[in-house]
Amino acid sequence: MCGIIGYIGNRDAVPLLLKGLKRLEYRGYDSAGIAVLTDGQIHSIKKSGKVSQLEVLVDDTPMKGSIGIAHTRWATHGEPNDINAHPHLDHTGRIALIHNGIIENHETIRKVLEERDIPFTSDTDSEALVQLVSAMYFDDDELSFEGAFRAALQDVVGAYGVVAVCAEEPETVLAARMGSPLVIGIGEGEYFLASDASPIVEYTRNVIYLDEGEMVKLTPDNHSISRIDSSEIVSRGSVEIEMSIEQIEKGDFDHFMLKEIHEQKHTITDTMRGRLNLEDGTTHLGGIADFKPSILAADRVYITACGTSWHAALIGKQLIENYAQIPVDVEYASEFRYRNAIINPDTVLIAVSQSGETADTLAAIRKAKNLGALTIGICNVVGSSIARETDAGIYTHAGPEIGVASTKAFTAQVAVMTMLALSLGRRKGFDAGLGRDLTKALHHIDNDIQTILDDDQSIRKVAQDTHMVDNFLYLGRGINFPVALEGALKLKEISYIHAEGYPAAEMKHGPIALIDENMPVVFIAPRDDTYSKILSNIQEVKARRGIVISITDRKTRELDSLSDHLLEVPRTHKHVFPITASIILQLLAYHLAVLRGCEIDQPRNLAKSVTVE
Ligand code: G6P
């Protein structure tokens, strides 16, 4: 939700900030803006639409400066127009601020300031914050910009990653973090600030992650970190970021999503590197090794997540229950955080998140921790809030995911879930031979993925035949029901075709009413114990002239004759099939969206990292 970037140093800040905004655009893309400090003045340009539209404006009205801030927005308060875009300037035009998050008491602040005849220009909550900083700064001659910034933040309720500059103190950039991430990049005589490391990595690998409740003052040669509620300096060493530039560039692919789908043949191997024990038919997950006894002894295991990660959680439940016979509840984090769930020191909460920053998932973790539960994070972004706030964790190592629709992060989450389930299961006596069957299949998955990618043509053909429809249905049974849910979500997200996922047998209890010759029904149909049942469901769709698209790992004559389209993945273990089948569904959604002329990497209204409730 919103990308923020700041710079202080000797470079020309404008191209650097615009380039940084493009890297952060996946976080929000309804409007963008930039402000630089030059000759004691703040120059700002803002524009609704994509960063490229802002760029055109900046080209027409050149601006220069070596201190600046920039923002790409995902609207919460106020529609995405030019005025509501960030940066927001105070009424004197001497302070500029960018904000990611929500200021919950913005109405009260606005009312108090409007009573003092301070004019507001936008509908945003963020403007209340810059006007408050301004009122405090200009009201009190004794107060520095830093002092006013700190005091204003102490009056604010809500979530923020915030960066501000002031024309009166032009050698300073201030930033603070409460709920929305901020990374400081340390260069030679320069500093960078951003929502994540992607706009920083080409300049420096040396970064500091600001902690919750901290603020930082940057000058070209110095940084000082303190708590927002105290001016005492906090000392913190820097860490090195591992990300490479290639990982965050599209290369020869048309879209990040396509690149990330293709990357899965390597990312899955990265996820499993050093973790598979083929000989003993088990897995080794170093991050949770010490906590395995607590998980095995838990009264109750919850897995919590949002969006695509929630689907990985559903698959995780089936696997953990199957291999380790431990009962697992899966909960939407947004529901879990507010309901009176049974949580005590014998509870384990596993949180799954690509970004590691999702506000609801973080809140669910904090709630469980407060009640004494053991918390475990399954995250992709190293050093993210969820990774840092949980007691232990497993990184998915899928590399940076830029496309808003999650692909490689999802399959990595499922791979981690599979390894976790097996590891717990083997401790509880699950058969070593059967364990070996699974580890062997996991070990070969990169070849299976390559085979799927090589046959992309068949998937594109299905998309060509179905891209004009309004609805899709996805059906699967058992562990493949969440695969159906994820397939439907992927399609909705990027093609805007309405799609629903259902357990195949549930079709009869409602969705069957929708089936006619214009309704494609995707069946996830592996050759497992549910195969004959799925065939009956396919018959039912066929009888109503629905368009049957089957995905299987073993083609039979019957399935072939019943299917309008049959897509095959290489024959594999039934618990590896959800990963390979999902890749087919990702490609299907991708091709359908391309054929419909949709914006692939930045679908309308979505954002990659949802840092507000
Ligand atoms: C957003 C993204 C989804 C993602 C979900 C949860 O909705 O668009 O792709 O699955 O947030 O995000 P997380 O980072 O916690 O996995």
Side-chain angles (χ1 to χ4, degrees):
M1 308 258 117
C2 303
I4 58 186
I5 176 162
Y7 176 76
I8 183 163
N10 297 311
R11 297 177 202 247
D12 183 0
V14 175
L16 181 149
L17 292 173
L18 289 172
K19 194 171 183 191
L21 281 189
K22 287 205 163 151
R23 296 234 192 267
L24 292 170
E25 203 166 15
Y26 74 89
R27 301 178 70 89
Y29 32 83
D30 58 42
S31 50
I34 179 168
V36 287
L37 270 168
T38 332
D39 303 329
Q41 302 291 331
I42 294 175
H43 301 273
S44 171
I45 299 182
K46 319 198 283 184
K47 183 80 193 115
S48 63
K50 296 277 172 83
V51 175
S52 52
Q53 286 162 266
L54 173 70
E55 236 174 353
V56 172
L57 261 193
V58 174
D59 279 350
D60 291 348
T61 333
M63 54 198 311
K64 251 192 155 6
S66 53
I67 299 174
I69 58 179
H71 185 274
T72 174
R73 179 169 187 245
W74 187 88
T76 57
H77 295 64
E79 64 176 85
N81 56 28
D82 294 356
I83 293 172
N84 290 334
H86 299 219
H88 288 287
L89 266 67
D90 73 319
H91 67 289
T92 70
R94 305 295 288 164
I95 298 177
L97 174 144
I98 50 177
H99 168 225
N100 170 23
I102 291 180
I103 306 297
E104 286 169 17
N105 57 342
H106 69 103
E107 274 175 12
T108 318
I109 298 171
R110 180 185 279 249
K111 197 158 164 257
V112 169
L113 296 175
E114 279 179 341
E115 274 164 17
R116 290 180 47 188
D117 290 333
I118 291 178
F120 277 64
T121 51
S122 79
D123 306 318
T124 66
D125 54 328
S126 313
E127 190 185 357
L129 180 54
V130 71
Q131 301 285 18
L132 184 63
V133 176
S134 160
M136 289 182 161
Y137 182 62
F138 290 108
D139 274 3
D140 183 347
D141 290 346
E142 302 289 302
L143 210 54
S144 64
F145 177 41
E146 184 185 3
F149 185 72
R150 188 190 303 282
L153 289 178
Q154 287 176 7
D155 276 359
V156 151
V157 178
Y160 49 82
V162 64
V163 187
V165 290
C166 174
E168 312 300 320
E169 297 184 30
E171 289 289 279
T172 303
V173 173
L174 298 176
R177 169 194 174 145
M178 185 70 83
S180 305
L182 269 183
V183 189
I184 305 162
I186 308 167
E188 293 278 320
E190 60 182 355
Y191 284 98
F192 309 81
L193 262 169
S195 304
D196 68 40
S198 60
I200 296 178
V201 65
E202 61 195 281
Y203 308 105
T204 176
R205 301 195 152 270
N206 216 2
V207 299
I208 294 175
Y209 293 95
L210 216 54
D211 265 345
E212 277 297 275
E214 285 182 349
M215 60 180 269
V216 63
K217 176 182 177 183
L218 301 175
T219 62
D221 305 308
N222 196 26
H223 67 270
S224 59
I225 300 174
S226 55
R227 302 287 311 164
I228 293 167
D229 53 11
S230 128
S231 50
E232 204 173 302
I233 301 297
V234 175
S235 88
R236 168 96 38 78
S238 59
V239 293
E240 196 169 313
I241 25 175
E242 283 171 12
M243 187 187 287
S244 72
I245 297 275
E246 296 73 51
Q247 282 180 307
I248 53 172
E249 292 198 328
K250 254 193 314 223
D252 293 335
F253 288 92
D254 289 341
H255 302 100
F256 276 109
M257 182 180 179
L258 188 60
K259 177 184 179 232
E260 287 156 6
I261 291 173
H262 278 254
E263 278 175 347
Q264 290 173 105
K265 56 181 184 274
H266 306 302
T267 53
I268 282 280
T269 314
D270 292 341
T271 306
M272 297 187 299
R273 180 162 295 119
R275 290 169 165 173
L276 292 184
N277 181 338
L278 295 166
E279 217 165 282
D280 295 342
T282 187
T283 62
H284 175 71
L285 299 164
I288 57 142
D290 293 345
F291 297 87
K292 248 162 64 173
S294 311
I295 305 174
L296 290 166
D299 266 7
R300 195 176 289 273
V301 175
Y302 291 107
I303 314 182
T304 194
C306 303
T308 286
S309 300
W310 186 75
H311 296 151
L314 289 176
I315 294 176
K317 169 190 163 74
Q318 302 242 4
L319 291 166
I320 295 173
E321 291 188 346
N322 179 76
Y323 286 92
Q325 298 286 298
I326 302 171
V328 177
D329 290 321
V330 176
E331 303 249 357
Y332 282 115
S334 53
E335 293 292 321
F336 183 75
R337 64 181 292 189
Y338 290 118
R339 86 178 183 86
N340 192 11
I342 303 164
I343 308 170
N344 60 47
D346 293 322
T347 304
V348 172
L349 178 89
I350 303 175
V352 189
S353 174
Q354 186 287 128
S355 62
E357 301 295 346
T358 303
D360 284 321
T361 312
L362 252 177
I365 292 167
R366 288 176 187 156
K367 170 176 174 162
K369 262 185 112 165
N370 282 340
L371 294 168
L374 169 68
T375 58
I376 292 179
I378 297 179
C379 291
N380 194 38
V381 177
V382 176
S384 57
S385 303
I386 292 177
R388 285 183 295 145
E389 290 199 24
T390 41
D391 298 304
I394 309 167
Y395 279 122
T396 46
H397 294 310
E401 192 178 64
I402 313 285
V404 165
S406 185
T407 52
K408 63 176 183 171
F410 171 71
T411 50
Q413 289 166 345
V414 177
V416 164
M417 285 298 183
T418 314
M419 291 188 289
L420 175 63
L422 182 59
S423 157
L424 295 172
R426 291 284 287 112
R427 273 283 188 101
K428 282 194 78 175
F430 184 79
D431 182 72
L434 295 175
R436 275 194 285 275
D437 292 344
L438 179 58
T439 50
K440 210 163 108 199
L442 285 170
H443 187 59
H444 287 131
I445 195 171
D446 51 346
N447 293 330
D448 300 346
I449 295 173
Q450 187 62 58
T451 308
I452 293 167
L453 297 173
D454 290 344
D455 193 30
D456 189 24
Q457 198 55 38
S458 321
I459 305 170
R460 200 175 312 160
K461 168 84 178 64
V462 179
Q464 266 153 0
D465 289 357
T466 52
H467 73 280
M468 298 302 283
V469 304
D470 296 326
N471 299 288
F472 255 77
L473 197 58
Y474 287 72
L475 302 177
R477 283 174 173 260
I479 197 167
N480 291 302
F481 162 50
V483 173
L485 288 176
E486 175 57 13
L489 177 65
K490 223 61 331 168
L491 188 67
K492 273 185 280 212
E493 283 179 313
I494 60 166
S495 74
Y496 317 138
I497 297 174
H498 169 247
E500 287 190 59
Y502 260 87
E506 277 297 301
M507 172 186 70
K508 286 197 279 295
H509 301 287
I512 199 163
L514 301 170
I515 293 172
D516 62 14
E517 66 278 15
N518 297 316
M519 172 70 102
V521 184
V522 179
F523 279 96
I524 327 293
R527 196 80 161 94
D528 63 11
D529 335 333
T530 64
Y531 186 69
S532 60
K533 304 289 172 201
I534 279 272
L535 278 183
S536 313
N537 300 135
I538 295 177
Q539 296 274 14
E540 289 153 10
V541 168
K542 219 46 243 165
R544 285 154 187 89
R545 290 178 294 133
I547 305 163
V548 173
I549 302 166
S550 303
I551 298 173
T552 189
D553 62 344
R554 221 172 303 175
K555 183 159 136 181
T556 61
R557 201 168 305 145
E558 193 179 3
L559 183 62
D560 201 15
S561 69
L562 283 172
S563 306
D564 296 280
H565 299 277
L566 188 80
L567 297 170
E568 270 188 281
V569 301
R571 200 174 284 194
T572 186
H573 191 286
K574 63 179 177 184
H575 292 148
V576 174
F577 177 83
I579 298 180
T580 49
S582 295
I583 295 174
I584 295 233
L585 298 181
Q586 294 165 357
L587 282 166
L588 181 61
Y590 173 79
H591 290 307
L592 283 162
V594 169
L595 288 165
R596 289 167 72 93
C598 297
E599 186 89 53
I600 302 294
D601 288 328
Q602 292 160 358
R604 71 180 176 216
N605 303 338
L606 297 181
K608 180 107 195 117
S609 175
V610 180
T611 53
V612 295
E613 274 195 54

